[in-house]
């Protein structure tokens, strides 16, 4: 029988009685593991080998795990310090125990959160006591760490779970294949197998000389394991931002751009936001210290905005009757929404006077002095948009959202009446989180009030919105913490593996 060289080598190394793993075969034949895997699959198909597959778990120490394997676990250091200060007789001050233990930084918290759990003693009212009867030598987590560091295996799944949740070990699963010769394999070997020259790649030279007629070609094995390669790729947030832009352009919108740091005038005053509105305090905004203000605001617009704030617009409107300070309006801050861009464009100061119907959008960063939590960041991307046309109604607004979100597979958005100083009526948008089933807020919208439009010189209807790109992403991909896609705590696996559907 004639077989490709690698298959002959594998057959010669395999045994009918002892299982050999792919790794062992690779070592003994001096072939690459992937070549051996390919040969093994071929031989299995020809009935000459039988292949047994099992999943093996490997456990390895993380950097932190290695550190503790060497220096000892923080809770044990704390226990030893507490013991030597006599905390087994009487509770001692926590500060004293920590000082003596030599622990610093995050290790202090790690020690404290594991100390009582593992029965080393208790911590109460700033005092720590130590149980005399506990022996750190019996600490299962410490023993498991040293065993792993010594290259030994640990079987206790509970201890491994605990170490994994502490981030001290990493577990990975791999498939181990081992092979034995079948009866047919043994027979073939006895009858004799010969190596045939096999060619992995057809070359121009083979074609011109006609040598391709005499060689045996190696078959492709599409089932063989391949090395995992994580290439660079565009971040899903950016991919989705680009898709949002494509969708909006497809719906007839044009893109706006403009400053990230802008005068409060454009961010708030044009939007009929009273100057004493709570969102305008220094708690909520990121002010700029250099430069602190914008000098060149359009005088006529400033005057009209001032009048709207003081007196209102038209018969049915009333202003705020509180002072309106131009200096306050000139102050620069990072924009808390991209509605500042909408104001610049609607006012005619960005790309000139606009005639209805026109539609504009932006997908840009905004900055808010919020408290970080799973759904809030200090900066996020806002999908801003507006349509200016005669006789727009709320149905147009809702229909636009339905059409937009449908492009992302989201067909169950809900609307809730809302209040904005600059729109009437106003609606918040909600969507169902695919994993938790909870309704999450995904945007805010409305029809701009005359107090906004008239000073800008717009005399038709304008419907407008600000949607959160990250929230759209949550609905699309089902993650629950916005920090999974942003910043140093991001979920690399999600970012690598997520499929972006086009
Ligand atoms: N500026 C609003 C926000 O950031 C969004 C919005 C824009 C609402 C335009 C209505 C009209 O939440």
């Amino acid at each position: 029988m004639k077989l490709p060289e690698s298959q002959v080598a594998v057959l010669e190394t395999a045994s009918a009685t002892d299982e050999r793993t792919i790794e062992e075969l690779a070592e003994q034949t001096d072939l690459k593991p992937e070549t051996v895997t390919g040969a093994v699959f071929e031989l299995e198909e020809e009935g000459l080998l039988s292949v047994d597959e099992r999943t093996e778990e490997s456990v390895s120490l993380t950097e932190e795990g290695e550190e503790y394997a060497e220096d000892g676990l923080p809770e044990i250091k704390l226990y030893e310090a507490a013991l030597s200060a006599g905390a087994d007789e009487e509770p001692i001050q926590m500060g004293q125990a920590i000082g003596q233990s030599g622990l610093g930084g995050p290790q202090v918290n790690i020690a404290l959160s594991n100390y009582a759990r593992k029965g080393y003693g208790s911590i109460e009212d700033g005092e720590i006591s130590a149980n005399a009867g506990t022996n750190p030598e019996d600490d299962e987590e410490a023993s498991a760490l040293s065993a792993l560091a010594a290259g030994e295996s640990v079987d206790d799944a509970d201890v491994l779970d605990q170490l994994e949740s502490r981030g001290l070990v990493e577990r990975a699963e791999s498939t181990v294949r081992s092979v034995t010769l079948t009866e047919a394999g043994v027979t073939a070997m006895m009858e004799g197998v010969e190596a045939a020259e096999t060619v992995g790649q057809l070359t121009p030279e083979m074609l011109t000389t006609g040598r391709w007629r005499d060689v045996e070609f190696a078959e492709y094995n599409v089932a063989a394991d391949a090395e995992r390669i994580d290439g660079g790729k565009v971040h899903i947030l950016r991919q989705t931002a680009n898709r949002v832009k494509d969708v909006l352009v497809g719906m007839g919108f044009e893109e706006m751009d403009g400053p990230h740091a802008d005068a409060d005038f454009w961010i708030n005053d044009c939007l009929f936001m009273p100057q004493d509105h709570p969102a305008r305090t220094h708690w909520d905004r990121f002010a700029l210290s250099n430069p602190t203000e914008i000098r060149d605001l359009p005088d006529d617009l400033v005057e009209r905005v001032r009048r709207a704030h003081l007196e209102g617009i038209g018969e049915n409107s009333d202003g705020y009757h509180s002072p309106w300070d131009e200096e306050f309006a000139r102050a620069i801050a990072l924009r808390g929404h991209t509605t500042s861009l909408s104001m610049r464009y609607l006012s005619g100061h960005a790309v000139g006077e606009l005639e209805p119907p026109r539609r504009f959008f932006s997908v840009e960063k905004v900055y808010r002095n919020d408290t970080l939590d799973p759904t809030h960041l200090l900066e996020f991307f806002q999908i801003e948009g507006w349509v200016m046309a005669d006789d727009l109604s709320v149905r147009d607004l809702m229909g636009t959202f339905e059409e937009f979100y449908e492009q992302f597979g989201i067909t169950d958005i809900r609307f809730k009446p809302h209040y904005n100083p600059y729109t009437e009526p106003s609606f918040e948008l909600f969507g169902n989180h695919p994993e938790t089933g909870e309704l999450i807020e995904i945007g805010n919208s409305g029809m701009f009030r005359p107090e906004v439009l008239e000073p800008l010189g717009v005399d038709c209807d304008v419907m407008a919105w600000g949607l959160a790109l990250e929230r759209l992403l949550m609905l699309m991909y089902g993650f629950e913490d916005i920090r999974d896609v942003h910043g140093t705590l991001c979920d690399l696996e999600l970012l690598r593996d997520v499929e972006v559907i086009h």
Side-chain angles (χ1 to χ4, degrees):
M1 180 185 287
K2 267 196 169 191
L3 290 174
E5 222 169 322
S6 56
Q7 292 185 28
V8 175
V10 168
L11 272 188
E12 280 171 349
T13 325
S15 139
T17 48
D18 296 329
E19 289 200 330
R20 302 262 148 86
T21 64
I22 301 266
E23 268 66 45
E24 288 165 347
L25 293 173
E27 204 165 293
Q28 286 164 27
T29 53
D30 228 1
L31 294 170
K32 289 195 213 147
E34 51 272 30
T35 314
V36 173
T37 310
V40 162
F41 279 126
E42 292 290 328
L43 291 166
E44 184 189 27
E45 211 171 279
E46 308 205 0
L48 302 178
L49 278 186
S50 80
V51 183
D52 182 53
E53 284 188 3
R54 66 193 143 81
T55 323
E56 226 171 58
E57 189 181 65
S58 66
V59 183
S60 58
L61 292 177
T62 61
E63 227 172 273
E64 191 182 350
E66 272 175 25
E67 188 183 327
Y68 299 157
E70 196 153 305
D71 301 347
L73 284 162
E75 61 271 23
I76 297 186
K77 288 191 183 165
L78 182 62
Y79 176 69
E80 283 164 351
L83 260 196
S84 73
D88 52 337
E89 308 268 322
E90 214 177 302
I92 62 161
Q93 283 299 316
M94 183 71 103
Q96 186 193 347
I98 292 172
Q100 271 196 18
S101 67
L103 293 169
Q107 291 201 1
V108 174
N109 275 335
I110 296 172
L112 296 181
S113 57
N114 290 290
Y115 189 80
R117 171 178 72 85
K118 292 168 70 171
Y120 284 115
S122 55
I123 294 164
E124 223 170 304
D125 297 334
E127 291 192 323
I128 181 168
S129 63
N131 290 341
T134 317
N135 186 357
E137 303 262 315
D138 299 334
D139 190 305
E140 289 179 321
E141 292 169 26
S143 323
L145 282 183
S146 358
L148 291 169
E152 292 157 22
S153 66
V154 171
D155 294 328
D156 191 328
D158 290 340
V159 173
L160 287 178
D161 284 346
Q162 188 63 42
L163 291 177
E164 191 177 25
S165 75
R166 291 183 68 172
L168 304 183
V169 301
E170 264 163 6
R171 291 201 258 191
E173 281 197 344
S174 56
T175 310
V176 177
R177 296 193 173 88
S178 37
V179 306
T180 40
L181 283 178
T182 59
E183 238 168 79
V186 175
T187 315
M189 288 302 284
M190 289 197 309
E191 289 170 3
V193 283
E194 251 179 80
E197 186 198 2
T198 55
V199 170
Q201 206 172 4
L202 185 63
T203 61
E205 181 255 314
M206 270 182 217
L207 286 174
T208 46
T209 59
R211 202 165 69 84
W212 62 272
R213 267 185 261 270
D214 309 319
V215 297
E216 180 153 349
F217 287 98
E219 279 178 37
Y220 286 121
N221 177 3
V222 288
D225 288 342
E227 200 186 331
R228 177 179 169 136
I229 298 175
D230 291 311
K233 75 181 216 189
V234 179
H235 194 288
I236 51 171
L237 202 54
R238 180 58 65 195
Q239 290 190 44
T240 310
N242 289 339
R243 223 182 118 203
V244 166
K245 292 183 188 189
D246 286 349
V247 165
L248 288 170
V249 168
M251 288 169 70
F253 286 76
E254 297 167 69
E255 189 166 6
M256 307 184 279
D257 68 14
H260 289 239
D262 208 350
D264 261 339
F265 181 72
W266 296 112
I267 305 173
N268 288 310
D269 293 288
C270 284
L271 284 157
F272 199 50
M273 294 273 283
Q275 292 197 330
D276 57 3
H277 191 279
R280 300 189 63 171
T281 64
H282 63 280
W283 297 111
D284 284 293
R285 57 200 283 277
F286 288 113
L288 241 63
S289 57
N290 184 19
T292 54
E293 56 168 36
I294 283 186
R295 279 275 131 226
D296 58 343
L297 295 180
D299 289 338
D300 48 344
L301 183 56
V302 168
E303 195 39 45
R304 290 199 301 268
V305 167
R306 177 212 305 280
R307 280 236 306 287
H309 278 246
L310 294 183
E311 299 154 19
I313 295 288
E315 268 173 40
N316 298 324
S317 162
D318 205 4
Y320 295 118
H321 296 285
S322 52
W324 190 84
D325 180 1
E326 192 175 330
E327 284 310 303
F328 196 72
R330 290 183 183 281
I332 304 181
L334 291 177
R335 61 188 181 206
H337 53 197
T338 34
T339 320
S340 52
L341 301 185
S342 304
M343 294 300 104
R344 283 176 170 271
Y345 275 67
L346 282 167
S347 73
H349 286 274
V351 285
E353 290 298 324
L354 304 175
E355 287 300 317
R358 288 293 279 267
R359 303 174 179 88
F360 277 88
F361 78 95
S362 64
V363 184
E364 287 288 343
K365 269 246 173 103
V366 298
Y367 308 85
R368 291 191 189 172
N369 203 352
D370 273 329
T371 307
L372 273 182
D373 70 21
T375 50
H376 292 91
L377 294 171
L378 300 192
E379 44 185 277
F380 62 94
F381 282 91
Q382 200 164 44
I383 307 168
E384 186 82 23
W386 50 266
V387 177
M388 78 182 322
D390 292 318
D391 298 325
L392 287 173
S393 77
V394 166
R395 293 157 69 108
D396 297 304
L397 186 63
M398 292 180 168
T400 305
F401 291 136
E402 273 169 11
E403 187 180 338
F404 173 76
Y405 280 106
E406 206 180 313
Q407 313 275 330
F408 299 89
I410 297 159
T411 50
D412 53 359
I413 48 168
R414 308 265 287 268
F415 300 92
K416 188 182 109 191
H418 182 58
Y419 171 77
N420 293 313
Y422 39 95
T423 48
E424 181 61 34
S426 313
F427 299 91
E428 274 181 339
L429 275 73
F430 289 82
N432 278 303
H433 191 285
E435 298 296 325
T436 66
E438 268 173 55
L439 274 182
I440 60 167
E441 190 199 325
I442 54 176
N444 176 14
S445 65
M447 315 289 292
F448 278 132
R449 297 175 71 107
E451 288 87 342
V452 173
L453 293 179
E454 195 169 307
L456 294 172
V458 176
D459 54 13
C460 60
D461 292 331
V462 178
M463 60 188 205
W465 56 86
L467 317 172
L469 178 67
E470 285 82 352
R471 301 282 176 93
L472 166 64
L473 230 69
M474 279 184 167
L475 297 189
M476 291 166 69
Y477 301 118
F479 59 89
E480 285 166 48
D481 194 322
I482 214 160
R483 292 166 292 192
D484 284 345
V485 293
H486 267 289
T488 50
L489 298 176
C490 69
D491 179 349
L492 277 180
E493 218 159 298
L494 169 84
L495 296 182
R496 276 188 186 130
D497 295 343
V498 94
E499 283 179 33
V500 175
I501 316 111
H502 274 272

CSV table of all heavy atoms in Angstrom, one decimal, residues 336-337 339 368 382 384-385 420 422-423 444-446 448 464-466, ligand 1:
chain,number,residue,atom,x,y,z
A,336,GLY,N,-22.7,68.0,26.8
A,336,GLY,CA,-23.3,66.9,27.4
A,336,GLY,C,-24.3,66.2,26.5
A,336,GLY,O,-24.9,65.1,26.8
A,337,HIS,N,-24.6,66.8,25.4
A,337,HIS,CA,-25.3,66.1,24.3
A,337,HIS,C,-24.9,66.8,23.0
A,337,HIS,O,-24.3,67.8,23.0
A,337,HIS,CB,-26.8,66.2,24.5
A,337,HIS,CG,-27.4,67.6,24.7
A,337,HIS,ND1,-28.6,67.9,25.2
A,337,HIS,CD2,-26.8,68.8,24.5
A,337,HIS,CE1,-28.8,69.2,25.3
A,337,HIS,NE2,-27.7,69.8,24.8
A,339,THR,N,-26.9,67.8,20.8
A,339,THR,CA,-28.0,68.7,20.4
A,339,THR,C,-27.4,70.1,20.1
A,339,THR,O,-27.9,70.9,19.4
A,339,THR,CB,-29.1,68.7,21.4
A,339,THR,OG1,-29.3,67.4,21.9
A,339,THR,CG2,-30.4,69.2,20.8
A,368,ARG,N,-20.6,63.4,30.2
A,368,ARG,CA,-21.5,63.8,31.4
A,368,ARG,C,-20.8,63.4,32.7
A,368,ARG,O,-20.2,62.3,32.8
A,368,ARG,CB,-22.8,63.0,31.3
A,368,ARG,CG,-23.6,63.5,30.1
A,368,ARG,CD,-25.0,63.0,30.1
A,368,ARG,NE,-25.7,63.4,28.9
A,368,ARG,CZ,-26.8,63.0,28.4
A,368,ARG,NH1,-27.6,62.2,29.2
A,368,ARG,NH2,-27.3,63.4,27.3
A,382,GLN,N,-23.6,59.4,21.2
A,382,GLN,CA,-25.0,59.8,21.0
A,382,GLN,C,-25.4,59.8,19.5
A,382,GLN,O,-24.6,60.3,18.7
A,382,GLN,CB,-25.3,61.2,21.6
A,382,GLN,CG,-26.8,61.4,21.9
A,382,GLN,CD,-27.0,62.6,22.9
A,382,GLN,OE1,-26.3,63.6,22.7
A,382,GLN,NE2,-27.8,62.4,23.8
A,384,GLU,N,-27.5,61.5,17.3
A,384,GLU,CA,-28.3,62.7,17.3
A,384,GLU,C,-29.0,62.7,15.9
A,384,GLU,O,-28.4,62.3,14.9
A,384,GLU,CB,-27.4,63.9,17.4
A,384,GLU,CG,-28.2,65.2,17.5
A,384,GLU,CD,-28.6,65.5,19.0
A,384,GLU,OE1,-28.1,64.9,19.9
A,384,GLU,OE2,-29.6,66.3,19.1
A,385,GLY,N,-30.2,63.3,15.8
A,385,GLY,CA,-30.8,63.4,14.5
A,385,GLY,C,-32.0,64.3,14.6
A,385,GLY,O,-32.6,64.6,15.6
A,420,ASN,N,-38.8,67.6,28.4
A,420,ASN,CA,-37.5,68.3,28.1
A,420,ASN,C,-37.9,69.8,28.0
A,420,ASN,O,-38.9,70.1,27.5
A,420,ASN,CB,-36.9,67.9,26.7
A,420,ASN,CG,-36.5,66.5,26.6
A,420,ASN,OD1,-35.8,66.0,27.5
A,420,ASN,ND2,-36.8,65.8,25.6
A,422,TYR,N,-36.9,71.8,26.0
A,422,TYR,CA,-36.8,72.2,24.6
A,422,TYR,C,-37.7,71.5,23.6
A,422,TYR,O,-37.7,71.9,22.5
A,422,TYR,CB,-35.3,72.1,24.1
A,422,TYR,CG,-34.6,70.9,24.6
A,422,TYR,CD1,-34.5,69.8,23.8
A,422,TYR,CD2,-34.0,70.9,25.8
A,422,TYR,CE1,-33.9,68.6,24.2
A,422,TYR,CE2,-33.3,69.8,26.3
A,422,TYR,CZ,-33.2,68.6,25.5
A,422,TYR,OH,-32.6,67.5,25.9
A,423,THR,N,-38.4,70.5,24.1
A,423,THR,CA,-39.3,69.8,23.2
A,423,THR,C,-40.7,69.7,23.8
A,423,THR,O,-40.8,69.5,25.0
A,423,THR,CB,-38.8,68.4,22.8
A,423,THR,OG1,-38.4,67.7,24.0
A,423,THR,CG2,-37.7,68.4,21.8
A,444,ASN,N,-34.1,59.6,23.8
A,444,ASN,CA,-35.0,60.7,24.2
A,444,ASN,C,-35.3,61.5,23.0
A,444,ASN,O,-34.4,61.6,22.1
A,444,ASN,CB,-34.2,61.5,25.3
A,444,ASN,CG,-34.9,62.8,25.8
A,444,ASN,OD1,-36.1,63.0,25.5
A,444,ASN,ND2,-34.1,63.6,26.4
A,445,SER,N,-36.5,62.1,22.9
A,445,SER,CA,-36.9,62.7,21.6
A,445,SER,C,-38.0,63.7,21.8
A,445,SER,O,-38.6,63.8,22.9
A,445,SER,CB,-37.3,61.6,20.6
A,445,SER,OG,-38.5,61.0,21.2
A,446,GLY,N,-38.4,64.4,20.7
A,446,GLY,CA,-39.5,65.3,20.8
A,446,GLY,C,-39.6,66.2,19.6
A,446,GLY,O,-38.8,66.1,18.7
A,448,PHE,N,-39.2,70.1,18.6
A,448,PHE,CA,-38.7,71.3,19.2
A,448,PHE,C,-39.8,72.4,19.4
A,448,PHE,O,-40.7,72.6,18.6
A,448,PHE,CB,-37.6,71.9,18.3
A,448,PHE,CG,-36.2,71.2,18.5
A,448,PHE,CD1,-35.5,70.8,17.4
A,448,PHE,CD2,-35.7,71.0,19.8
A,448,PHE,CE1,-34.3,70.2,17.6
A,448,PHE,CE2,-34.5,70.4,20.0
A,448,PHE,CZ,-33.8,70.0,18.9
A,464,ALA,N,-36.8,65.8,16.7
A,464,ALA,CA,-35.4,65.5,17.0
A,464,ALA,C,-35.3,64.5,18.0
A,464,ALA,O,-36.2,64.2,18.8
A,464,ALA,CB,-34.8,66.8,17.4
A,465,TRP,N,-34.0,64.0,18.1
A,465,TRP,CA,-33.8,62.9,19.1
A,465,TRP,C,-32.3,62.8,19.4
A,465,TRP,O,-31.4,63.3,18.7
A,465,TRP,CB,-34.3,61.6,18.6
A,465,TRP,CG,-33.7,61.2,17.3
A,465,TRP,CD1,-32.5,60.6,17.1
A,465,TRP,CD2,-34.3,61.4,16.0
A,465,TRP,NE1,-32.3,60.4,15.7
A,465,TRP,CE2,-33.4,60.9,15.0
A,465,TRP,CE3,-35.5,62.0,15.6
A,465,TRP,CZ2,-33.6,61.0,13.7
A,465,TRP,CZ3,-35.7,62.1,14.2
A,465,TRP,CH2,-34.8,61.6,13.3
A,466,GLY,N,-32.0,62.1,20.6
A,466,GLY,CA,-30.7,61.7,20.9
A,466,GLY,C,-30.8,60.3,21.5
A,466,GLY,O,-31.5,60.0,22.4
B,1,LIG,N1,-30.6,66.1,24.1
B,1,LIG,C1,-31.4,65.0,24.5
B,1,LIG,C2,-30.6,64.0,25.4
B,1,LIG,O1,-29.4,64.1,25.5
B,1,LIG,C3,-31.8,64.2,23.3
B,1,LIG,C4,-32.8,65.0,22.5
B,1,LIG,C5,-32.4,65.7,21.4
B,1,LIG,C6,-34.1,65.1,22.9
B,1,LIG,C7,-33.3,66.4,20.6
B,1,LIG,C8,-35.0,65.8,22.1
B,1,LIG,C9,-34.6,66.4,21.0
B,1,LIG,O2,-31.1,63.2,26.1
